Amino acid sequence: MVDTDRITGAARELGGKAQSTLGDLAGDRRAQVEGRFREAQGQAEHFAGEARDTLRDAADTAIDYAEDAYEQGRRAARHSASTVSHYVEETPLLALLVAGAVGYGLALLVHGRR
């Protein structure tokens, strides 16, 4: 997607070049200066449009990476939950003992030894 500043900047730059060239040919100092000023404005506008396009592309790329990371995280969480469910079904007593030990450890962390 091209920013409109790039298009209008290029048009203004071209118009400024034409005006300054005509001023050079006619010897009109005012037309030369105005033309060069318009040309500089057009260049600045064009560069601003390029900067916006670059930032927009970078933001789109960052969003794509974030969406991919989110999807990979979802898949990993789903796989982990499936794996834990499988182990709990296979060895329920061991799963109960591990859950109890984790609960006891958390209680010690939260309340400390008294």
Side-chain angles (χ1 to χ4, degrees), residues 87-88 91-103:
Y87 284 126
V88 168
T91 56
L93 183 58
L94 180 62
L96 183 63
L97 290 172
V98 169
V102 168

Side-chain angles (χ1 to χ4, degrees), residues 9-90:
R12 188 177 305 223
E13 184 180 353
L14 184 63
K17 281 183 184 180
Q19 184 179 6
S20 66
T21 301
L22 289 174
D24 288 342
L25 292 175
D28 184 359
R29 184 82 175 136
R30 181 181 175 127
Q32 293 171 349
V33 171
E34 284 179 5
R36 288 193 177 87
F37 180 72
R38 283 181 57 197
E39 185 178 347
Q41 280 181 320
Q43 286 176 343
E45 198 171 353
H46 179 78
F47 290 137
E50 281 183 354
R52 272 194 208 100
D53 285 344
T54 301
L55 288 173
R56 189 177 298 120
D57 290 344
D60 290 344
T61 301
I63 288 170
D64 290 342
Y65 281 133
E67 287 173 347
D68 289 344
Y70 175 76
E71 187 59 36
Q72 288 178 358
R74 272 187 46 200
R75 278 196 299 264
R78 205 174 303 134
H79 176 71
S80 298
S82 172
T83 302
V84 168
S85 295
H86 172 72
Y87 284 126
V88 168
E89 287 174 3
E90 293 291 317

